[in-house]
């Protein structure tokens, strides 16, 4: 069973929660500091702290709830103030300025990511993008996923955006559809080529590492990401991956027996049937 996590300290999270509560009936109860929602076919929980600092939340909640995946319903902040819906996994490399620990990765949920993205009806004035792996919580052992509304208070409270995200969550928690899984290296933080791939092919992603991580990325960390993502191969953004990073990627790939594919090869070979 999947668990949707909301934060009292997050306007977008509350917006998404309020929509889901209008769509799906729920039995509500208090357990310790948590508000529990027993929806039809999935669970919800409201916590007090910011979601990025919710390390070990799965361990804490497993004492009294039975679930195997977490979807964090969250706000997205950026200086450019764009109207955007995003989705990504969490973890850190050499810095942990916003939750989690250094060189640590939460266990991702690639199938739920894909099912969420394909269910998402993006409002006309918004855009959708995957993001590279970043921020906390990194200390989550159950599969997890962040879905977000950005990028300012105006968007966080936008009821149309809250409805779009809420509906896609409801669809994603119902789906058991599985996809081809990969990790990816290269590109910018908003992962344009990975976003194209998840929308246009049968491939979904676990952890994605943008080019700003290249200096701190190691073969050992790539192997960790590959294993925790339960990946089948590694996708590279060929336009941004230099020779030094390729060496790291192929070293990791050789050790785990993974194929390395360029993004254009994935788009050509894994086209989704509509």
């Amino acid at each position: 069973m999947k668990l949707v996590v909301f934060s009292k300290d997050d306007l977008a999270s509350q917006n998404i929660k309020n929509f889901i509560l209008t769509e799906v009936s729920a039995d509500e109860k208090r357990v310790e500091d948590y508000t529990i929602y027993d929806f039809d076919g999935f669970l919800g929980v409201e916590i007090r702290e910011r979601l990025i600092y919710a390390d070990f939340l799965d361990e804490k909640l497993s004492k009294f709830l039975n679930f195997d995946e977490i979807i964090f319903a969250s706000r997205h902040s950026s200086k450019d103030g764009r109207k955007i819906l995003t989705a990504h996994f969490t973890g850190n490399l050499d810095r942990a300025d916003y939750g989690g620990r250094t060189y640590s990765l939460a266990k991702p949920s690639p199938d739920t990511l894909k099912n969420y993205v394909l269910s998402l009806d993006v409002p006309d004035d918004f855009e959708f993008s995957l993001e590279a792996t970043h921020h906390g919580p990194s200390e989550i052992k159950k599969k997890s996923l962040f879905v977000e509304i950005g990028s300012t208070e105006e968007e966080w409270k936008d009821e149309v955006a809250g409805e779009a995200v809420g509906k896609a969550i409801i669809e994603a928690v119902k789906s058991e559809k599985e996809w081809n899984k990969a990790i990816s290296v290269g590109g910018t933080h908003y992962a344009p080529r990975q976003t194209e791939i998840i929308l246009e092919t049968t491939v979904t992603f676990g952890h994605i590492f943008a080019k700003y991580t290249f200096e701190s990325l190691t073969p050992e960390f790539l192997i960790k990401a590959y294993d925790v993502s339960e990946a089948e191969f590694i996708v590279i953004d060929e336009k941004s991956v230099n020779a030094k990073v390729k060496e790291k990627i192929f070293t990791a790939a050789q050790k785990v027996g993974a194929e390395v594919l360029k993004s254009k090869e994935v788009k050509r070979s894994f086209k989704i049937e509509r």
Side-chain angles (χ1 to χ4, degrees):
M1 183 173 289
K2 296 179 177 66
L3 170 70
V4 186
V5 178
F6 313 103
S7 170
K8 289 186 177 181
D9 188 34
D10 185 323
L11 292 174
S13 193
Q14 290 297 302
N15 181 11
I16 297 163
K17 181 197 76 173
N18 291 338
F19 173 77
I20 292 176
L21 285 171
T22 66
E23 287 290 297
V24 186
S25 60
D27 293 327
E28 181 180 336
K29 63 181 179 180
R30 292 278 300 176
V31 179
E32 298 180 358
D33 287 335
Y34 306 108
T35 302
I36 308 297
Y37 301 97
D38 190 350
F39 295 106
D40 182 17
F42 65 103
L43 297 170
V45 64
E46 186 174 62
I47 66 176
R48 293 185 179 278
E49 67 262 47
R50 285 189 61 186
L51 299 175
I52 63 173
Y53 299 118
D55 288 294
F56 306 106
L57 182 65
D58 53 339
E59 292 182 14
K60 296 172 185 175
L61 295 178
S62 291
K63 296 174 184 177
F64 48 84
L65 288 177
N66 184 21
F67 61 96
D68 50 22
E69 287 192 30
I70 298 175
I71 300 174
F72 291 95
S74 176
R75 73 190 188 206
H76 168 78
S77 300
S78 69
K79 294 179 180 178
D80 59 19
R82 68 175 75 182
K83 299 166 77 73
I84 191 169
L85 306 181
T86 66
H88 70 91
F89 301 119
T90 56
N92 301 301
L93 278 91
D94 58 335
R95 298 179 65 92
D97 298 329
Y98 301 99
R101 295 178 175 174
T102 57
Y103 284 104
S104 184
L105 295 168
K107 186 173 180 62
S109 181
D111 290 321
T112 299
L113 169 65
K114 179 88 166 184
N115 294 326
Y116 170 81
V117 171
L118 295 183
S119 299
L120 186 62
D121 186 8
V122 182
D124 290 339
D125 53 344
F126 280 75
E127 60 181 304
F128 168 76
S129 181
L130 296 179
E131 290 184 273
T133 295
H134 68 299
H135 72 58
S138 64
E139 308 310 298
I140 300 290
K141 293 180 180 178
K142 291 185 184 290
K143 292 181 178 181
S144 64
L145 163 68
F146 261 67
V147 300
E148 304 176 339
I149 299 174
S151 298
T152 71
E153 184 173 329
E154 181 181 353
E155 287 77 46
W156 301 340
K157 297 190 295 185
D158 187 310
E159 292 184 358
V160 176
E163 178 178 345
V165 173
K167 282 184 175 179
I169 288 173
I170 292 169
E171 290 303 310
V173 297
K174 294 178 185 175
S175 179
E176 299 296 331
K177 191 161 186 180
E178 297 182 353
W179 305 89
N180 300 109
K181 300 172 186 64
I183 62 168
S184 187
V185 181
T188 62
H189 180 77
Y190 287 101
R193 270 167 283 283
Q194 291 90 344
T195 301
E196 290 174 357
I197 286 170
I198 203 168
L199 288 168
E200 299 172 8
T201 76
T202 61
V203 172
T204 187
F205 291 104
H207 287 291
I208 297 172
F209 301 109
K211 59 184 179 182
Y212 58 76
T213 68
F214 283 178
E215 284 301 314
S216 53
L217 199 60
T218 65
E220 293 74 23
F221 198 68
L222 284 168
I223 291 170
K224 182 176 183 177
Y226 185 87
D227 289 342
V228 78
S229 300
E230 299 178 359
E232 303 163 31
F233 50 91
I234 301 171
V235 176
I236 61 171
D237 180 339
E238 60 272 18
K239 293 185 178 181
S240 66
V241 173
N242 58 34
K244 184 177 179 181
V245 178
K246 282 183 181 177
E247 184 178 354
K248 296 179 183 181
I249 294 167
F250 280 97
T251 296
Q254 185 176 25
K255 288 184 178 179
V256 296
E259 187 176 9
V260 179
L261 298 175
K262 297 177 181 178
S263 60
K264 63 182 180 182
E265 293 174 324
V266 175
K267 291 177 71 174
R268 183 173 60 245
S269 301
F270 293 88
K271 289 181 180 179
I272 197 167
E273 295 183 9
R274 300 289 184 181

